[in-house]
């Protein structure tokens, strides 16, 4: 037999409690609070106006709100916070409206502000902000009313209230003149930190590669960018927030329902939630990887909601990691417009740089054809791209290493390059850049990399860059560079294709604007390949009549292949023209000839400046334009001026052998030769301060650094570190005048390719004997004719000096000064007499003169004959 449950009758107490908890009672309560706030506000305004008008506390009967209103205003103004009590009326009014709106809108009804009145965080912020300003205002008015002499019945004391007057008197006694400073400081700090008052400077235009936000979220990002400009007061009435704990029941009821979008952000969330549930949106990928129109691949580290919250500036789950974005390379996004996937025909390249243009200088070799790219190798066919697994693994190690040292980051993106991958990280607020820079070795250890390079910050960005070498470096082929759209469409005088950047973009620059290049790197790092890349770029773009090369090679093997193009591109000294073809040396390898050649170039430079002066122009392009337009008369000495590029390899060896004799003409050419079309390229494997002096560095604004052995060498060549962290094999840093460092992978052109190139050029008809470009003749002291010996003018120490020089086999002025106690001038005259007599050789620079007489018997016979 089951027991019947007793029915509990509702009591008066339970009914009253139910009525108090109903929305109707809450609405009535809110209306009462709002009306009371308005009533108190009017009473305070009436009380204040009468007080100011009469100059003393008014009677309570004259208040607009009656006796009760006068009493209430007297308590709030004179007895509490003064006129700042209006802020309390504002709080009571807002609280009443919150109760009305929160309980009036039903759950099934849609309203744009339905989440506003459920957000207790915003109301708490409003509450504390208002209380702060109430206390600040009453204290400020109390200080302005002179708290030392303030009376409770004066207007100033009444408007500040008892609280403001006493607080101002206390702080004035403690701080005195520091009180207004403290009040100003608190006001400014509160406006900046709480109310988001900021000075908005013009923003830098964003680069397309830096965008990491999907196209469908652009409208949301624009709204979020505008929000910091509006203070907290705007968010009270216009900004909605996620529901709080009061809406748990509502969320449970709608757990399986369809979502409806009230904003662009809601649409994004609905689309991504649909993907998670297995309902993909048409035309969108369903796996974890998504690709947008900018060619960026985004990996989801957090779930979609967490990621959108982080993009909108709301706090996310800090334990799951930052947003990770991979930028696809330029080659994957769009190919060159003029280059097909198939191999380019040689005739297409010759047609682009063809010789049909009506330039008079080309008529001497009108049948000359520019080389095609079919003779070059396509090394990039064997390249292996960086895998997504490698990028994600390196990203995880970087994030983990930074977190081990207490560094949080909000975003990280990867930019794969041929040799290294650039990881751009955006640290969280409060993280110092120097702290990340100090972890360079720790990150390298965690990645097991050869060496990483940290760029903190990346110039022009609010990110920090970490360059990590790829597991399998790629090769950049010279053929790809020459066929690229950047090189073919380059409007430059002397275009040079160095290689590819980290973003796989072809780096092409103008040698005429550099205007001189300094190159350094340790042995085997790609320095010689870089020089060949520069020469190949020039040979592929310039006709022999437009370009002449002066190649200086102390090693005697680097530029020997270019001897075959002597009749086309190489400039020679006058004495080389008279030699037989088999005995010529168009590539300069003798140190003595190097000095003569450089001084000859100085003569050529001065001659060109005289021509420019006569033509009343300032640079070579203007002069050649006038000459080609037949505005200059060749009978007056005018001629077409080709560009002259001087390439010097192993510059350090030249400095060791001849020193100042090479440095002085090089510095003179570097200072003056730019305007007349003479450009220098100097390479050395020892970038020390005694090789690359301050004078040379000052005149070579463009520098290229391959891998060096120490940071000191890197600072010598680039004025900053970083070259010691390169990985070699063509990995280089280039610094142009006034620009930031750029990391490149140098283009590869191998020795067989150079042989094919020079053979293709050398097999064509060149300039006839004596018609090529010949440098001016330079005569130094070695070339001066021997003077006849004058026996009457022979010095009395002549015989002693001759015996001393033959005995020591060392002919120098300083030796005669020391041994014979002679002055410099007299010793110099004796040396000249010994040269005229055939005892010593001609002047040999900083070295001693050669002694022509080898034994004393021969010397005595010569002295008797004299």
């Amino acid at each position: 037999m089951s027991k019947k449950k007793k029915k509990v009758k509702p009591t008066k107490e339970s009914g009253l409690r139910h009525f108090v908890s109903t929305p109707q009672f809450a609405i009535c309560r809110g209306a009462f609070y709002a009306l009371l706030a308005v009533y108190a506000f009017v009473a305070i305004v009436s009380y204040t106006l009468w007080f100011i008008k009469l100059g003393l506390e008014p009677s309570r009967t004259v208040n607009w709100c009656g006796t009760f209103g006068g009493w209430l205003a007297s308590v709030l103004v004179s007895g509490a916070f003064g006129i700042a009590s209006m802020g309390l009326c504002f709080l009571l009014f807002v609280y009443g409206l919150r109760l009305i709106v929160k309980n009036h809108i039903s759950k099934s009804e849609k309203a744009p502000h339905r989440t506003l009145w459920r957000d207790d965080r915003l109301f708490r912020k409003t509450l504390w902000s208002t209380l702060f300003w109430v206390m600040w205002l009453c204290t400020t008015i109390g200080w302005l009313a002179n708290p030392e002499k303030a009376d409770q019945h004066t207007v100033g004391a009444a408007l500040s209230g008892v609280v403001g007057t006493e607080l101002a008197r206390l702080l004035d006694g403690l701080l005195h003149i520091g009180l207004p400073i403290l009040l100003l400081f608190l006001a400014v700090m509160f406006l900046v930190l709480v109310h988001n008052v900021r000075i908005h400077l013009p923003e830098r235009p964003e680069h397309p590669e830096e965008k990491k936000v999907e196209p469908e979220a652009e409208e949301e990002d624009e709204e979020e960018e505008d929000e910091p400009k509006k203070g907290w007061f705007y968010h009270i009435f216009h900004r909605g927030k996620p529901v709080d704990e009061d809406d748990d029941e509502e969320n449970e009821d709608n757990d399986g329902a369809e979502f409806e979008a009230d904003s662009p952000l809601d649409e994004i969330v609905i689309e991504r939630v649909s993907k998670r549930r297995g309902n993909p949106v048409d035309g969108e990928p369903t796996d974890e990887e998504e690709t947008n129109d900018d060619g960026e691949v985004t990996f989801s580290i957090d779930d979609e909601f967490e990621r959108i919250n982080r993009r909108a500036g709301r706090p996310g789950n800090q334990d799951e990691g930052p947003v990770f974005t991979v930028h696809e390379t330029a080659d994957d996004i769009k190919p060159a417009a003029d280059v097909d996937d198939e191999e380019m025909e040689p005739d297409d390249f010759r047609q682009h740089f063809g010789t049909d243009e009506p330039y008079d200088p080309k008529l001497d070799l009108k049948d000359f054809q520019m080389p095609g790219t079919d003779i070059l190798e396509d090394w990039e066919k064997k390249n292996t791209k960086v895998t997504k697994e490698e990028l994600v693994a390196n990203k995880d190690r970087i994030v983990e290493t930074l977190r081990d040292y207490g560094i949080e980051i909000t975003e990280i993106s990867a930019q794969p390059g041929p040799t290294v991958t650039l990881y751009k990280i955006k640290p969280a607020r409060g993280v110092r850049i120097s702290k990340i820079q100090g972890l360079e070795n720790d990150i390298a250890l965690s990645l097991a990399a050869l060496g990483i390079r940290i760029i903190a910050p990346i110039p022009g960005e609010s990110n920090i860059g970490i360059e990590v070498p790829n597991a399998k470096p790629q090769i950049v082929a010279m053929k790809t560079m020459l066929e690229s759209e950047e090189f073919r469409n380059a409007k430059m005088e002397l275009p040079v294709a160095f290689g590819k950047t980290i973003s796989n973009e072809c780096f092409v620059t103008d040698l005429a604007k550099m205007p001189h290049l300094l190159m350094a790197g340790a042995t085997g790092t790609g320095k010689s390949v870089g020089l060949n890349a520069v020469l190949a770029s020039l040979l592929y773009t310039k006709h022999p009549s437009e370009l002449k090369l002066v190649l200086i090679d102390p090693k005697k093997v680097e530029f020997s292949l270019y001897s075959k193009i002597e009749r086309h591109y190489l400039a020679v000294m006058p004495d080389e023209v008279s030699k037989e073809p088999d005995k010529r040396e168009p590539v300069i390898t003798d140190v003595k000839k190097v000095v003569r050649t450089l001084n000859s170039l100085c003569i050529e430079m001065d001659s060109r400046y005289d021509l420019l002066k006569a033509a009343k122009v300032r640079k070579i392009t203007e002069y050649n334009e006038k000459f080609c337009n037949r505005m200059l008369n060749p009978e007056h000495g005018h001629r077409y001026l080709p560009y002259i590029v001087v390439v010097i390899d192993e510059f350090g060896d030249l400095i060791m052998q001849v020193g100042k004799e090479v440095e002085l003409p090089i510095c003179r050419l570097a200072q003056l030769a730019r305007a007349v079309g003479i450009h220098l390229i100097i390479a050395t494997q020892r970038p020390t301060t005694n090789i690359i002096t301050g004078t040379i560095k000052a005149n070579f604004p463009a520098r290229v650094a391959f891998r060096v052995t120490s940071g000191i060498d890197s600072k010598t060549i680039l004025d900053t570190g970083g070259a010691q962290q390169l990985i070699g094999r063509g990995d280089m840093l280039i610094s142009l005048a006034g620009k930031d460092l750029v990391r490149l992978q140098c283009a590869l052109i191998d020795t067989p390719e150079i042989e094919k190139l020079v053979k293709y050029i050398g097999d064509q008809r060149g300039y006839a004997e004596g018609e090529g470009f010949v440098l001016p003749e330079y005569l130094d002291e070695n070339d001066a004719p021997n003077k006849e010996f004058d026996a009457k003018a022979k010095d009395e120490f002549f015989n002693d000096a001759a015996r001393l020089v033959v005995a020591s086999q060392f002919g120098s002025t300083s030796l005669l000064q020391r041994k014979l106690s002679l002055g410099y001038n007299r010793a110099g005259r004796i040396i000249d007499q010994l040269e005229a007599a055939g005892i010593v050789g001609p002047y040999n620079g900083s070295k001693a003169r050669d002694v022509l007489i080898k034994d004393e018997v021969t010397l005595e016979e010569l002295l008797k004959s004299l």
Side-chain angles (χ1 to χ4, degrees), residues 184-204:
L184 180 61
F185 172 76
L186 291 176
V188 173
M189 292 299 294
F190 209 79
L191 288 173
V192 172
L193 298 179
V194 178
H195 299 293
N196 298 326
V197 176
R198 292 182 174 86
I199 300 175
H200 297 281
L201 300 176
E203 297 182 356
R204 180 184 62 85

Side-chain angles (χ1 to χ4, degrees), residues 424-451:
K424 298 180 181 180
I425 64 175
K426 180 172 290 186
R429 274 192 172 186
V431 177
R432 293 187 176 182
I433 295 179
S434 58
K435 191 174 182 181
I436 299 179
Q437 286 178 316
L439 300 177
E440 185 172 332
N441 295 331
D442 299 279
I443 297 175
L445 179 63
S446 64
L447 296 174
L450 296 176

Side-chain angles (χ1 to χ4, degrees), residues 275-296:
K275 296 175 189 177
R276 296 294 184 183
R277 292 182 176 180
N279 302 322
V281 181
D282 294 339
E284 293 290 333
T286 57
D287 55 354
E288 192 177 8
E289 177 184 347
E290 298 179 4
T291 305
N292 60 15
D293 296 338
D294 295 334
E296 301 176 356

Side-chain angles (χ1 to χ4, degrees), residues 414-691:
Q415 182 66 69
T419 305
V420 297
T421 297
L422 175 63
Y423 292 87
K424 298 180 181 180
I425 64 175
K426 180 172 290 186
R429 274 192 172 186
V431 177
R432 293 187 176 182
I433 295 179
S434 58
K435 191 174 182 181
I436 299 179
Q437 286 178 316
L439 300 177
E440 185 172 332
N441 295 331
D442 299 279
I443 297 175
L445 179 63
S446 64
L447 296 174
L450 296 176
I452 66 171
R453 177 171 168 260
I454 294 181
I455 310 172
I458 298 176
E461 300 183 19
S462 59
N463 298 322
I464 297 176
I466 301 178
E467 295 178 346
V468 180
N470 297 332
K472 295 180 179 180
Q474 301 176 5
I475 298 176
V476 177
M478 195 67 199
K479 179 178 181 178
T480 305
M481 295 296 301
L482 297 177
E483 292 177 350
S484 65
E485 184 179 358
E486 292 85 350
F487 185 78
R488 297 179 61 197
N489 298 334
K491 297 180 180 179
M492 304 176 182
E493 296 296 329
L494 297 174
V496 176
F498 275 106
K500 289 187 177 182
T501 62
I502 293 180
S503 57
N504 264 352
E505 296 179 352
C506 297
F507 187 87
V508 181
T509 185
D510 192 359
L511 179 62
K513 293 182 179 180
M514 286 187 183
H516 310 292
L517 178 62
L518 187 60
M519 189 179 297
T523 303
T525 58
K527 183 175 73 281
S528 299
V529 176
L531 292 175
N532 290 327
V534 173
L535 293 175
S537 301
L538 298 176
L539 294 177
Y540 266 95
T541 54
K542 288 298 176 182
H543 189 270
S545 62
E546 301 173 328
L547 174 68
K548 298 301 175 182
L549 300 175
V550 177
L551 304 181
I552 299 175
D553 182 17
K555 283 201 306 187
K556 304 180 181 181
V557 294
E558 289 294 339
F559 297 144
S560 58
L561 296 176
Y562 294 96
S563 300
K564 298 180 181 179
I565 59 174
E566 172 195 355
R567 295 182 296 110
H568 301 81
Y569 285 100
L570 298 188
V572 296
M573 295 290 290
D575 56 348
E576 294 292 331
V577 178
S578 58
K579 295 182 180 179
E580 298 181 0
D582 296 339
K583 296 182 180 181
R584 292 178 184 173
E585 293 183 358
V587 177
I588 304 168
T589 58
D590 188 5
V591 177
K592 296 180 180 179
K593 291 184 179 179
V594 171
V595 178
R596 294 178 55 201
T597 303
L598 293 176
N599 285 282
S600 177
L601 287 170
C602 291
I603 299 175
E604 173 69 15
M605 178 187 68
D606 295 334
S607 174
R608 290 190 172 199
Y609 269 113
D610 293 336
L611 294 177
L612 265 63
K613 178 182 177 181
K616 295 180 174 57
V617 295
R618 300 180 60 184
K619 54 184 179 180
I620 185 175
T621 53
E622 298 174 357
Y623 178 87
N624 286 336
E625 183 179 0
K626 274 192 170 184
F627 185 83
C628 292
N629 292 333
R630 304 188 183 279
M631 300 172 63
L632 301 176
N633 191 352
E635 295 180 357
H636 297 163
H638 292 288
R639 54 191 170 88
Y640 183 82
L641 302 180
Y643 284 97
I644 300 178
V645 178
V646 184
V647 184
I648 304 176
D649 193 16
E650 297 299 338
F651 179 69
D653 185 65
L654 293 178
I655 292 293
M656 290 180 60
Q657 294 190 51
V658 290
K660 295 292 183 180
E661 296 182 52
V662 170
E663 184 178 355
L664 292 178
I666 285 179
C667 291
R668 190 163 183 263
L669 290 171
Q671 291 172 351
L672 303 175
R674 170 185 181 178
V676 293
I678 301 177
H679 304 279
L680 304 178
I681 301 176
I682 294 178
T684 180
Q685 63 179 356
R686 294 185 305 150
T688 56
T689 54
N690 59 337
I691 301 297

Side-chain angles (χ1 to χ4, degrees), residues 325-337:
T325 305
V326 179
H327 302 269
E328 292 191 356
T329 60
D331 293 343
D332 297 331
I333 296 175
K334 60 176 182 177

